[in-house]
PDB file of all heavy atoms in Angstrom:
ATOM      1  N   PRO C 149       8.569 -16.472  -2.668  1.00  0.00           N
ATOM      2  CA  PRO C 149       9.142 -17.507  -3.553  1.00  0.00           C
ATOM      3  C   PRO C 149      10.539 -17.150  -4.063  1.00  0.00           C
ATOM      4  O   PRO C 149      11.407 -18.019  -4.150  1.00  0.00           O
ATOM      5  CB  PRO C 149       8.152 -17.557  -4.726  1.00  0.00           C
ATOM      6  CG  PRO C 149       6.887 -17.041  -4.194  1.00  0.00           C
ATOM      7  CD  PRO C 149       7.240 -16.065  -3.137  1.00  0.00           C
ATOM      8  N   PHE C 150      10.749 -15.864  -4.371  1.00  0.00           N
ATOM      9  CA  PHE C 150      12.084 -15.434  -4.777  1.00  0.00           C
ATOM     10  C   PHE C 150      13.111 -15.833  -3.727  1.00  0.00           C
ATOM     11  O   PHE C 150      14.174 -16.345  -4.009  1.00  0.00           O
ATOM     12  CB  PHE C 150      12.144 -13.905  -4.899  1.00  0.00           C
ATOM     13  CG  PHE C 150      11.584 -13.377  -6.169  1.00  0.00           C
ATOM     14  CD1 PHE C 150      10.476 -12.553  -6.162  1.00  0.00           C
ATOM     15  CD2 PHE C 150      12.181 -13.677  -7.376  1.00  0.00           C
ATOM     16  CE1 PHE C 150       9.962 -12.042  -7.331  1.00  0.00           C
ATOM     17  CE2 PHE C 150      11.684 -13.171  -8.562  1.00  0.00           C
ATOM     18  CZ  PHE C 150      10.565 -12.354  -8.534  1.00  0.00           C
ATOM     19  N   LEU C 151      12.715 -15.558  -2.503  1.00  0.00           N
ATOM     20  CA  LEU C 151      13.618 -15.741  -1.390  1.00  0.00           C
ATOM     21  C   LEU C 151      13.940 -17.213  -1.183  1.00  0.00           C
ATOM     22  O   LEU C 151      15.072 -17.597  -0.917  1.00  0.00           O
ATOM     23  CB  LEU C 151      12.921 -15.176  -0.157  1.00  0.00           C
ATOM     24  CG  LEU C 151      13.786 -14.727   0.960  1.00  0.00           C
ATOM     25  CD1 LEU C 151      14.601 -13.547   0.509  1.00  0.00           C
ATOM     26  CD2 LEU C 151      12.906 -14.349   2.119  1.00  0.00           C
ATOM     27  N   ILE C 152      12.922 -18.039  -1.322  1.00  0.00           N
ATOM     28  CA  ILE C 152      13.106 -19.446  -0.997  1.00  0.00           C
ATOM     29  C   ILE C 152      13.735 -20.210  -2.155  1.00  0.00           C
ATOM     30  O   ILE C 152      14.602 -21.052  -1.962  1.00  0.00           O
ATOM     31  CB  ILE C 152      11.748 -20.074  -0.593  1.00  0.00           C
ATOM     32  CG1 ILE C 152      11.296 -19.432   0.714  1.00  0.00           C
ATOM     33  CG2 ILE C 152      11.874 -21.576  -0.436  1.00  0.00           C
ATOM     34  CD1 ILE C 152       9.924 -19.835   1.166  1.00  0.00           C
ATOM     35  N   PHE C 153      13.324 -19.878  -3.392  1.00  0.00           N
ATOM     36  CA  PHE C 153      13.779 -20.701  -4.518  1.00  0.00           C
ATOM     37  C   PHE C 153      14.909 -20.087  -5.332  1.00  0.00           C
ATOM     38  O   PHE C 153      15.786 -20.794  -5.802  1.00  0.00           O
ATOM     39  CB  PHE C 153      12.592 -21.005  -5.447  1.00  0.00           C
ATOM     40  CG  PHE C 153      11.503 -21.758  -4.751  1.00  0.00           C
ATOM     41  CD1 PHE C 153      10.265 -21.177  -4.535  1.00  0.00           C
ATOM     42  CD2 PHE C 153      11.727 -23.045  -4.292  1.00  0.00           C
ATOM     43  CE1 PHE C 153       9.267 -21.860  -3.870  1.00  0.00           C
ATOM     44  CE2 PHE C 153      10.724 -23.743  -3.632  1.00  0.00           C
ATOM     45  CZ  PHE C 153       9.499 -23.146  -3.418  1.00  0.00           C
ATOM     46  N   VAL C 154      14.887 -18.773  -5.531  1.00  0.00           N
ATOM     47  CA  VAL C 154      15.834 -18.195  -6.473  1.00  0.00           C
ATOM     48  C   VAL C 154      17.111 -17.706  -5.804  1.00  0.00           C
ATOM     49  O   VAL C 154      18.218 -18.037  -6.238  1.00  0.00           O
ATOM     50  CB  VAL C 154      15.179 -17.045  -7.276  1.00  0.00           C
ATOM     51  CG1 VAL C 154      16.089 -16.622  -8.405  1.00  0.00           C
ATOM     52  CG2 VAL C 154      13.831 -17.477  -7.815  1.00  0.00           C
ATOM     53  N   VAL C 155      16.953 -16.943  -4.753  1.00  0.00           N
ATOM     54  CA  VAL C 155      18.130 -16.336  -4.131  1.00  0.00           C
ATOM     55  C   VAL C 155      19.176 -17.368  -3.696  1.00  0.00           C
ATOM     56  O   VAL C 155      20.363 -17.179  -3.950  1.00  0.00           O
ATOM     57  CB  VAL C 155      17.698 -15.414  -2.966  1.00  0.00           C
ATOM     58  CG1 VAL C 155      18.904 -14.900  -2.224  1.00  0.00           C
ATOM     59  CG2 VAL C 155      16.889 -14.252  -3.509  1.00  0.00           C
ATOM     60  N   PRO C 156      18.796 -18.489  -3.070  1.00  0.00           N
ATOM     61  CA  PRO C 156      19.820 -19.465  -2.669  1.00  0.00           C
ATOM     62  C   PRO C 156      20.670 -19.967  -3.836  1.00  0.00           C
ATOM     63  O   PRO C 156      21.841 -20.277  -3.660  1.00  0.00           O
ATOM     64  CB  PRO C 156      18.990 -20.605  -2.074  1.00  0.00           C
ATOM     65  CG  PRO C 156      17.749 -19.967  -1.636  1.00  0.00           C
ATOM     66  CD  PRO C 156      17.472 -18.875  -2.603  1.00  0.00           C
ATOM     67  N   ARG C 157      20.105 -20.025  -5.028  1.00  0.00           N
ATOM     68  CA  ARG C 157      20.870 -20.459  -6.193  1.00  0.00           C
ATOM     69  C   ARG C 157      21.866 -19.396  -6.649  1.00  0.00           C
ATOM     70  O   ARG C 157      22.902 -19.696  -7.211  1.00  0.00           O
ATOM     71  CB  ARG C 157      19.912 -20.748  -7.351  1.00  0.00           C
ATOM     72  CG  ARG C 157      19.481 -22.187  -7.414  1.00  0.00           C
ATOM     73  CD  ARG C 157      18.363 -22.324  -8.419  1.00  0.00           C
ATOM     74  NE  ARG C 157      17.155 -22.708  -7.706  1.00  0.00           N
ATOM     75  CZ  ARG C 157      16.850 -23.974  -7.440  1.00  0.00           C
ATOM     76  NH1 ARG C 157      17.629 -24.933  -7.836  1.00  0.00           N
ATOM     77  NH2 ARG C 157      15.760 -24.279  -6.774  1.00  0.00           N
ATOM     78  N   LEU C 158      21.496 -18.126  -6.447  1.00  0.00           N
ATOM     79  CA  LEU C 158      22.322 -17.033  -6.953  1.00  0.00           C
ATOM     80  C   LEU C 158      23.449 -16.670  -6.008  1.00  0.00           C
ATOM     81  O   LEU C 158      24.512 -16.231  -6.420  1.00  0.00           O
ATOM     82  CB  LEU C 158      21.461 -15.777  -7.141  1.00  0.00           C
ATOM     83  CG  LEU C 158      20.655 -15.675  -8.418  1.00  0.00           C
ATOM     84  CD1 LEU C 158      19.885 -14.373  -8.413  1.00  0.00           C
ATOM     85  CD2 LEU C 158      21.578 -15.709  -9.614  1.00  0.00           C
ATOM     86  N   VAL C 159      23.185 -16.803  -4.737  1.00  0.00           N
ATOM     87  CA  VAL C 159      24.120 -16.290  -3.748  1.00  0.00           C
ATOM     88  C   VAL C 159      24.798 -17.465  -3.062  1.00  0.00           C
ATOM     89  O   VAL C 159      24.354 -17.915  -2.022  1.00  0.00           O
ATOM     90  CB  VAL C 159      23.378 -15.400  -2.727  1.00  0.00           C
ATOM     91  CG1 VAL C 159      24.357 -14.721  -1.816  1.00  0.00           C
ATOM     92  CG2 VAL C 159      22.552 -14.363  -3.463  1.00  0.00           C
ATOM     93  N   PRO C 160      25.881 -17.969  -3.647  1.00  0.00           N
ATOM     94  CA  PRO C 160      26.460 -19.224  -3.173  1.00  0.00           C
ATOM     95  C   PRO C 160      27.001 -19.132  -1.752  1.00  0.00           C
ATOM     96  O   PRO C 160      26.931 -20.099  -1.002  1.00  0.00           O
ATOM     97  CB  PRO C 160      27.591 -19.491  -4.176  1.00  0.00           C
ATOM     98  CG  PRO C 160      27.871 -18.179  -4.798  1.00  0.00           C
ATOM     99  CD  PRO C 160      26.613 -17.394  -4.765  1.00  0.00           C
ATOM    100  N   SER C 161      27.487 -17.970  -1.366  1.00  0.00           N
ATOM    101  CA  SER C 161      28.110 -17.867  -0.048  1.00  0.00           C
ATOM    102  C   SER C 161      27.119 -18.187   1.061  1.00  0.00           C
ATOM    103  O   SER C 161      27.498 -18.552   2.158  1.00  0.00           O
ATOM    104  CB  SER C 161      28.673 -16.461   0.145  1.00  0.00           C
ATOM    105  OG  SER C 161      27.646 -15.525  -0.026  1.00  0.00           O
ATOM    106  N   LEU C 162      25.857 -18.037   0.767  1.00  0.00           N
ATOM    107  CA  LEU C 162      24.856 -18.294   1.799  1.00  0.00           C
ATOM    108  C   LEU C 162      24.366 -19.727   1.760  1.00  0.00           C
ATOM    109  O   LEU C 162      23.525 -20.114   2.544  1.00  0.00           O
ATOM    110  CB  LEU C 162      23.661 -17.369   1.590  1.00  0.00           C
ATOM    111  CG  LEU C 162      23.887 -15.918   1.985  1.00  0.00           C
ATOM    112  CD1 LEU C 162      22.730 -15.079   1.512  1.00  0.00           C
ATOM    113  CD2 LEU C 162      24.028 -15.809   3.488  1.00  0.00           C
ATOM    114  N   HIS C 163      24.863 -20.484   0.835  1.00  0.00           N
ATOM    115  CA  HIS C 163      24.258 -21.793   0.625  1.00  0.00           C
ATOM    116  C   HIS C 163      25.324 -22.877   0.650  1.00  0.00           C
ATOM    117  O   HIS C 163      25.766 -23.364  -0.385  1.00  0.00           O
ATOM    118  CB  HIS C 163      23.539 -21.793  -0.736  1.00  0.00           C
ATOM    119  CG  HIS C 163      22.677 -22.981  -0.936  1.00  0.00           C
ATOM    120  ND1 HIS C 163      22.857 -23.857  -1.978  1.00  0.00           N
ATOM    121  CD2 HIS C 163      21.655 -23.456  -0.213  1.00  0.00           C
ATOM    122  CE1 HIS C 163      21.953 -24.809  -1.892  1.00  0.00           C
ATOM    123  NE2 HIS C 163      21.211 -24.589  -0.837  1.00  0.00           N
ATOM    124  N   PRO C 164      25.805 -23.248   1.835  1.00  0.00           N
ATOM    125  CA  PRO C 164      26.840 -24.266   1.914  1.00  0.00           C
ATOM    126  C   PRO C 164      26.368 -25.566   1.284  1.00  0.00           C
ATOM    127  O   PRO C 164      25.237 -26.007   1.527  1.00  0.00           O
ATOM    128  CB  PRO C 164      27.073 -24.440   3.419  1.00  0.00           C
ATOM    129  CG  PRO C 164      25.917 -23.811   4.082  1.00  0.00           C
ATOM    130  CD  PRO C 164      25.364 -22.789   3.149  1.00  0.00           C
ATOM    131  N   ALA C 165      27.241 -26.148   0.471  1.00  0.00           N
ATOM    132  CA  ALA C 165      26.827 -27.337  -0.274  1.00  0.00           C
ATOM    133  C   ALA C 165      26.492 -28.490   0.664  1.00  0.00           C
ATOM    134  O   ALA C 165      25.624 -29.302   0.380  1.00  0.00           O
ATOM    135  CB  ALA C 165      27.928 -27.747  -1.242  1.00  0.00           C
ATOM    136  N   ASP C 166      27.220 -28.547   1.796  1.00  0.00           N
ATOM    137  CA  ASP C 166      26.981 -29.663   2.707  1.00  0.00           C
ATOM    138  C   ASP C 166      26.043 -29.235   3.831  1.00  0.00           C
ATOM    139  O   ASP C 166      26.292 -29.500   4.991  1.00  0.00           O
ATOM    140  CB  ASP C 166      28.303 -30.184   3.271  1.00  0.00           C
ATOM    141  CG  ASP C 166      29.081 -29.073   3.920  1.00  0.00           C
ATOM    142  OD1 ASP C 166      28.770 -27.882   3.665  1.00  0.00           O
ATOM    143  OD2 ASP C 166      29.991 -29.365   4.705  1.00  0.00           O
ATOM    144  N   SER C 167      24.997 -28.528   3.429  1.00  0.00           N
ATOM    145  CA  SER C 167      24.055 -28.046   4.430  1.00  0.00           C
ATOM    146  C   SER C 167      23.553 -29.193   5.304  1.00  0.00           C
ATOM    147  O   SER C 167      23.045 -30.181   4.816  1.00  0.00           O
ATOM    148  CB  SER C 167      22.853 -27.388   3.753  1.00  0.00           C
ATOM    149  OG  SER C 167      21.827 -27.206   4.692  1.00  0.00           O
ATOM    150  N   VAL C 168      23.748 -29.049   6.609  1.00  0.00           N
ATOM    151  CA  VAL C 168      23.337 -30.097   7.539  1.00  0.00           C
ATOM    152  C   VAL C 168      21.828 -30.271   7.502  1.00  0.00           C
ATOM    153  O   VAL C 168      21.310 -31.378   7.581  1.00  0.00           O
ATOM    154  CB  VAL C 168      23.801 -29.747   8.969  1.00  0.00           C
ATOM    155  CG1 VAL C 168      23.443 -30.877   9.910  1.00  0.00           C
ATOM    156  CG2 VAL C 168      25.284 -29.482   8.986  1.00  0.00           C
TER     157      VAL C 168
END
Side-chain angles (χ1 to χ4, degrees):
Chain C
F150 280 117
L151 205 66
I152 294 174
F153 299 114
V154 190
V155 174
R157 268 170 246 273
L158 278 180
V159 188
S161 57
L162 286 170
H163 191 239
D166 55 343
S167 167
V168 183

